[in-house]
Amino acid sequence: MNQANIIAIETSCDETSVAIFNDKLEVLSSVVASQFKWHERFGGVVPEVAARAHMELLNKSILQALQDANMPVSQISAVAVHNGPGLAGALLVGLSAAKMIALGLNVPLIAVNHVHSHIYACRMSAGKDIFPCVGMVVSGGHSILFECQTALEMKRLGGTIDDAAGEAFDKVAALLGLGFPGGPAVEREALSGNPNEYAFPKSFFYEDRLDFSFSGLKTAVLYTIAPPGQARPAIVESGKKRADIAASFQKAVVDVLVSKALQALKKTGLKRLAVGGGVVANQTLRQKLLEDTKLNGIELYLPEKNLCTDNAAMAALSVEAWKQGIFTSLDVDIKPTVF
Ligand code: KG4
Ligand code: ZN
């Protein structure tokens, strides 16, 4: 049988991304067009702006991906798309484009779940099967634990009841005057700080439940910067206090994430852990995951850094569906809140 080539589209949030991969999971091209300059001045992602930016960037990204892969459209065998979860307007742009390409080329459409793809990024980086495993996704929009019996069977075990881990990084970065996106900025600032200077709250840490909550932690950081009743300084002076807050905040998030992942492994009896999403680009998190899984006899799978944050290459999850002949009707809708 000829090699199958799939073109994939990701527009769930603020990256416009298109990738082409084959059924051997070889990524032939991967374009990620950042919308940073559209959102920077708002200090966060504005949904309406994201949708408009996808409109502007998507066609160029599709053409670029075909050119980078040196592939005529006639060699495309299917179109994959993340149709949720994510921002409704942003998802609509990607899904509409995917449907039109599938219709125009008369090839199957394969809609996959963006969060599941974050876990599949670990499978791609591993270069071998990683299922069954516990999957954890820690990103700007999500903090979720899954029991993954196969790539196509991911059962939600728990997740955040308020902010996502990446969102907490972004909000704390804003409180500390570190800019946007906050994760890498907080990580940099934390390098020179003492992670044990402030004992920030770790929600549900001692509880037997597989959920997260980061809003109390964010408030604790705010009150460390400016106690209740006092005016908040426009920016926290750079220096020891700012670095210590960043390092102590990062430690609290990392401790909670790693302990909940280990709890999920214990509950399910599974021996493999795959962690995906933008926050897993964080070196402190990666290091603690490595140490604690080793101590507990767990195989750990992490994506390479370029597969951590949002991208279309991780939609190679669609190859699993392709192999089983599972295709999606062109009537499919966006699923902004489905995990
Ligand atoms: O997966 P992603 O690109 O988008 C979503 O699906 O949400 O994740 C983006 C999130 C942002 O909140 C960003 O601040 C966070 O990942 N992030 C990090 C790091 N790099 C990105 N958080 C902590 N440390 C990092 N190095
Ligand atoms: Zn994501």
Side-chain angles (χ1 to χ4, degrees):
M1 199 173 112
N2 287 341
Q3 172 180 290
N5 300 309
I6 300 181
I7 187 165
I9 293 177
E10 149 62 30
T11 62
S12 70
C13 189
D14 61 337
E15 315 282 359
T16 309
S17 181
V18 180
I20 298 175
F21 40 79
N22 62 27
D23 54 358
K24 295 194 202 84
L25 298 180
E26 290 162 341
V27 178
L28 308 175
S29 66
S30 173
V31 176
V32 182
S34 169
Q35 299 184 358
F36 179 75
K37 70 178 167 83
W38 272 270
H39 301 287
E40 188 189 13
R41 68 196 159 108
F42 301 109
V45 177
V46 181
E48 172 78 13
V49 175
R52 285 166 185 264
H54 286 307
M55 287 293 289
E56 192 167 324
L57 295 168
L58 187 54
N59 282 0
K60 288 180 221 168
S61 302
I62 291 168
L63 294 174
Q64 188 67 49
L66 287 164
Q67 192 181 328
D68 291 354
N70 197 18
M71 182 162 294
V73 285
S74 56
Q75 284 181 28
I76 295 292
S77 326
V79 186
V81 63
H82 289 142
N83 67 329
L87 304 171
L91 289 166
L92 276 172
V93 177
L95 181 60
S96 305
K99 284 182 180 184
M100 287 309 114
I101 299 172
L103 194 65
L105 296 180
N106 194 24
V107 297
L109 177 73
I110 305 174
V112 287
N113 181 301
H114 172 94
V115 176
H116 297 179
S117 288
H118 270 303
I119 295 171
Y120 199 75
C122 299
R123 156 70 181 91
M124 295 173 74
S125 294
K128 61 173 186 175
D129 194 15
I130 63 167
F131 301 98
C133 67
V134 163
M136 180 164 74
V137 178
V138 279
S139 71
H142 315 285
S143 298
I144 316 181
L145 283 157
F146 291 97
E147 178 177 345
C148 314
Q149 285 303 333
T150 69
L152 297 177
E153 291 169 279
M154 300 196 188
K155 187 180 123 205
R156 190 179 183 278
L157 296 170
T160 185
I161 61 162
D162 41 54
D163 293 350
E167 193 179 353
F169 267 93
D170 293 336
K171 288 179 176 167
V172 164
L175 289 174
L176 293 173
L178 291 172
F180 166 82
V186 170
E187 177 168 30
R188 262 193 314 277
E189 185 70 19
L191 285 175
S192 55
N194 174 5
N196 300 312
E197 183 66 26
Y198 300 101
F200 287 136
K202 300 177 191 174
S203 297
F204 307 143
F205 192 72
Y206 297 104
E207 288 178 42
D208 182 24
R209 62 185 280 189
L210 296 175
D211 292 315
F212 305 101
S213 166
F214 295 108
S215 67
L217 171 58
K218 188 183 63 191
T219 308
V221 169
L222 173 63
Y223 286 169
T224 306
I225 296 168
Q230 278 187 26
R232 181 155 61 92
I235 56 159
V236 181
E237 292 295 325
S238 58
K240 188 172 169 352
K241 184 170 180 182
R242 185 157 88 169
D244 286 347
I245 292 175
S248 303
F249 160 79
Q250 180 174 263
K251 178 175 168 23
V253 175
V254 166
D255 285 355
V256 167
L257 292 177
V258 177
S259 90
K260 289 296 162 190
L262 291 175
Q263 250 185 45
L265 286 154
K266 206 166 164 194
K267 271 204 167 154
T268 56
L270 294 168
K271 293 288 174 205
R272 294 173 180 153
L273 174 65
V275 188
V279 180
V280 85
N282 184 283
Q283 207 45 49
T284 305
L285 175 60
R286 291 175 93 92
Q287 190 55 37
K288 180 137 179 79
L289 283 167
L290 274 171
E291 287 165 10
D292 288 16
T293 49
K294 195 169 171 198
L295 273 175
N296 287 279
I298 302 294
E299 281 175 41
L300 177 66
Y301 296 98
L302 301 176
E304 292 152 87
K305 289 221 170 168
N306 61 334
L307 287 176
C308 290
T309 44
D310 287 346
N311 66 87
M314 66 188 188
L317 170 59
S318 56
V319 170
E320 304 282 344
W322 167 267
K323 285 181 175 163
Q324 294 184 39
I326 301 171
F327 305 136
T328 308
S329 157
L330 286 180
D331 293 336
V332 70
D333 203 352
I334 53 163
K335 296 180 176 173
T337 56
V338 162
F339 304 108

